Amino acid sequence: MRILKEYIFEGRVSKEDKNSSDYKYVLFKVPKKAGILQISYNYSKGDNVLDIGVFDSKGSFRGWSGSNKSELFISENAATPGYLHGKIYPGSWKIILGLYKISQEGCRYTIKVRIGGINGELQKRKIIRPFKQEYAETPKKRWFKGDLHVHTNHSDGAKSIRDLVNEAMTIGLNFVALTDHNTISQNLHVEEYESSDFLLIPAEEVTTYYGHANVWGNRKWIDFRRRSMEDFQELIDEVHSQGLLFSINHPEDMDFPDGYWRFREVSRFDCIEVWHGPWSIYDYRSLIWWDSLLQKGKKIVAVGGSDFHGTDLPRLGNPTTWVYSDMLSVNNILNAIRRGHVFISKYVNGPQIYLYADADGDGRVDSICGDEVHLSRGDKLTIYAEVKKAKDLEFKLISRGEAVKIEKVNSSYYRVAYRTQVENDGYFRAEVIRHNSQESDNAEISEVLALTNPIYVRVKNPKNERNIDSC
């Protein structure tokens, strides 16, 4: 590589800087005929965490790696995972420093930038398509198993996309969403792994310092630089304007400082990740928040995600999100999630709950989880649940925050029926749980092994119509 320009930037950010803004920008000039950028940085560690990303001279996002990578490169035909290859435009580029954690003593940093020309041969990027197949997509409505929250080496995951796909297919997943932090470079590879029985969903985990959220289906970068409640409401509306889905991640997780969701007052989000990795007290609290919103008449979809990073824990597919879809395609899977045709299980082969409603009393299924049942006040409604792989566990049918039916599951295939008279709008959802203490059924120390989205009940009342609105 022929060096055209070199820069060294040194500076310090203080606690006051963090209080006034979450980001600091460092500008540098790229000369004409540049073919590659090499950037490295370091900072005083201790209680500091300093993230990094890049914008080009057109103002376009070119990548983000958080604090996971201390070196990166961008060229016309290749880039460090997490960054977007492409034209190295001349002009003023920006390095963005994310002030994740800044100590009282402040944080000193050094950034080195090398800009060079490079032979075209060295820039060639070989694309391998190991799973690409020609196939006809024919409707095959069924339950598909997936993981909606995973990371690769395009952010802070340990595995390449290829290794992730191999592992997902080996354990029996049908789809995985590539939710790398604040970048979309992973989504450039989605079509490389298409097959008739496996799907990669383009996605991004919008990772802010005030909570995390998954956006599914995006090809364009979603700007993560959000700070206020108004910023987050604007973010949700932007996502919806593109026809995408917005899911709040691990809203109660206090294990890391920016993991829990600060802005409970925002509205119109589509989903809540009520189950994040192995079941914990934080998931129980997320479940309580979700159920409290259901009790207020909100219609929000519960999903799960492993937050897989390629290490021992959490395991891929723990939990597994089951989606009832017309076919295995991005649009169909996302539309099915939007409709709430979803249940969650601990593992790919874990306990399963299939929730149905019979609204006309003919003994035939009218609705599944996520659907609305429209009845007149006083009408009878029967809720059915088929429970599989849950022998010796406990089944609970829940309405308005209370268990209306509790049974011990005494076989590997178990069927439950519950008949009620409809008086008001409401919902019914189901759980399979295991008590971790024989002497206590305290929900906080019990483990949920499967849960469904609700079947919603709407009472016909022309004089006082009330909708179950999206949050």
Side-chain angles (χ1 to χ4, degrees), residues 9 21 26 35-36 52 78 102 117 128 138 163 184 202 220 232 239 306 351 361 366 382 406 432 438 459:
F9 302 99
S21 176
V26 177
I36 185 170
I52 193 169
I102 305 299
I128 302 173
T138 55
D163 289 341
I184 55 169
K220 297 180 180 179
F232 281 89
V239 167
S306 70
D366 301 315
T382 304
I406 300 175
V432 165
Q438 294 181 352
V459 175

Side-chain angles (χ1 to χ4, degrees), residues 89-371:
Y89 299 106
S92 183
W93 287 53
K94 292 180 182 178
I95 292 170
I96 174 175
L97 296 176
L99 314 186
Y100 180 14
K101 290 176 65 179
I102 305 299
S103 66
Q104 291 295 337
E105 295 75 24
C107 178
R108 300 203 65 85
Y109 64 84
T110 300
I111 303 171
K112 296 180 180 180
V113 180
R114 301 175 78 212
I115 306 170
I118 189 168
N119 295 329
E121 289 298 316
L122 295 177
Q123 288 187 321
K124 287 184 178 178
R125 176 171 170 266
K126 186 178 181 181
I127 298 177
I128 302 173
R129 303 177 183 271
F131 293 96
K132 181 71 175 178
Q133 300 177 19
E134 295 298 328
Y135 66 94
E137 287 193 79
T138 55
K140 296 180 181 179
K141 179 170 277 193
R142 64 183 178 91
W143 288 96
F144 295 96
K145 298 176 284 187
D147 196 329
L148 290 171
H149 189 168
V150 304
H151 298 278
T152 72
N153 61 354
H154 285 257
S155 59
D156 57 350
K159 290 184 180 289
S160 67
I161 295 176
R162 186 193 305 204
D163 289 341
L164 170 71
V165 170
N166 279 328
E167 184 167 342
M169 295 179 74
T170 297
I171 67 174
L173 291 177
N174 303 117
F175 64 88
V176 166
L178 297 177
T179 55
D180 280 305
H181 298 285
N182 293 344
T183 190
I184 55 169
S185 61
Q186 71 280 3
N187 296 336
L188 301 177
H189 303 271
V190 165
E191 281 78 15
E192 297 173 23
Y193 299 93
E194 284 182 351
S195 74
S196 59
D197 56 1
F198 186 78
L199 175 73
L200 284 179
I201 297 175
E204 176 183 341
E205 184 171 16
V206 182
T207 307
T208 79
Y209 302 139
Y210 308 94
H212 302 180
N214 279 338
V215 175
W216 298 307
N218 61 309
R219 298 289 185 159
K220 297 180 180 179
W221 175 65
I222 305 295
D223 195 338
F224 57 86
R225 293 171 292 178
R226 314 287 169 158
R227 189 177 176 95
S228 67
M229 190 182 77
E230 291 73 22
D231 290 339
F232 281 89
Q233 192 62 66
E234 184 180 81
L235 168 63
I236 294 170
D237 293 342
E238 287 176 8
V239 167
H240 287 164
S241 72
Q242 299 178 45
L244 308 174
L245 283 177
F246 186 96
S247 178
I248 294 176
N249 288 348
H250 41 71
E252 296 285 349
D253 198 331
M254 303 291 287
D255 280 344
F256 46 101
D258 63 339
Y260 69 93
W261 189 257
R262 306 297 200 278
F263 299 106
R264 300 304 174 94
E265 298 84 3
V266 296
S267 60
R268 297 188 293 281
F269 51 88
D270 304 291
C271 307
I272 296 175
E273 187 182 66
V274 301
W275 193 338
H276 170 248
W279 186 266
S280 72
I281 183 64
Y282 300 131
D283 296 311
Y284 171 72
R285 292 171 183 169
S286 297
L287 184 65
I288 293 299
W289 181 44
W290 172 60
D291 197 273
S292 72
L293 294 175
L294 298 180
Q295 293 177 53
K296 294 175 182 177
K298 307 297 184 182
K299 189 175 180 181
I300 304 163
V301 180
V303 297
S306 70
D307 204 356
F308 177 72
H309 280 73
T311 52
D312 291 340
L313 288 175
R315 291 169 53 184
L316 185 64
N318 179 10
T320 296
T321 300
W322 293 60
V323 179
Y324 190 67
S325 173
D326 291 333
M327 65 177 66
L328 190 61
S329 69
V330 172
N331 286 339
N332 280 277
I333 292 293
L334 296 185
N335 283 336
I337 293 172
R338 184 179 284 109
R339 295 173 67 183
H341 293 171
V342 172
F343 74 83
I344 314 166
S345 181
K346 182 174 181 178
Y347 293 123
V348 176
N349 297 311
Q352 301 158 32
I353 315 174
Y354 302 90
L355 195 65
Y356 308 111
D358 174 14
D360 54 16
D362 64 357
R364 306 172 77 176
V365 170
D366 301 315
S367 307
I368 67 171
C369 59
D371 290 341

